[in-house]
Amino acid sequence: MKRKKESKKKAMIFIIFVLMLLVGVGIVQISRAYTDNKEREAEVVVLTEMIKEEKLKQLELLKIKEEMKTRAFIEKTARSKFGLIYPDETLIDIAEKE
């Protein structure tokens, strides 16, 4: 009879130990998941800011693209980069004196 009580007591201690171990592992896993979640949230914030910045850059580039389609831009580029003039224009080159 005494042996049964001792073996039941040892079994209960073992069960309690296993349960405490499982609870400890569960707490560690929850803690890791919480930390991972916080890191992911911070990453989402950074990526959201990057998306906003890239959308602003895209808008600026679209404005430049539209400006490049205008006649004034084409004329300015042709004159400044290629030295082109209209047939009825006269080019006057003013050289700087040294």
Side-chain angles (χ1 to χ4, degrees), residues 57-68:
K57 285 180 186 177
Q58 182 183 20
L59 287 175
E60 290 174 17
L61 289 173
L62 287 173
K63 286 179 185 177
I64 292 171
K65 181 181 174 185
E66 289 301 313
E67 181 185 328
M68 291 175 84

Side-chain angles (χ1 to χ4, degrees), residues 62-77:
L62 287 173
K63 286 179 185 177
I64 292 171
K65 181 181 174 185
E66 289 301 313
E67 181 185 328
M68 291 175 84
K69 292 179 182 178
T70 63
R71 183 174 180 89
F73 179 84
I74 294 169
E75 278 186 29
K76 180 181 173 187
T77 303

Side-chain angles (χ1 to χ4, degrees), residues 94-98:
I94 302 174
E96 291 184 23
K97 293 182 181 180
E98 292 182 16

Side-chain angles (χ1 to χ4, degrees), residues 22-36:
L22 289 174
V23 168
V25 169
I27 289 172
V28 169
Q29 291 297 326
I30 290 171
S31 173
R32 284 185 184 163
Y34 180 78
T35 303
D36 288 346

Side-chain angles (χ1 to χ4, degrees), residues 85 89-95:
I85 58 172
E89 289 182 323
T90 305
L91 181 64
I92 300 174
D93 189 16
I94 302 174

Side-chain angles (χ1 to χ4, degrees), residues 12 41 65 81:
M12 286 299 270
E41 286 176 358
K65 181 181 174 185
K81 290 190 178 182

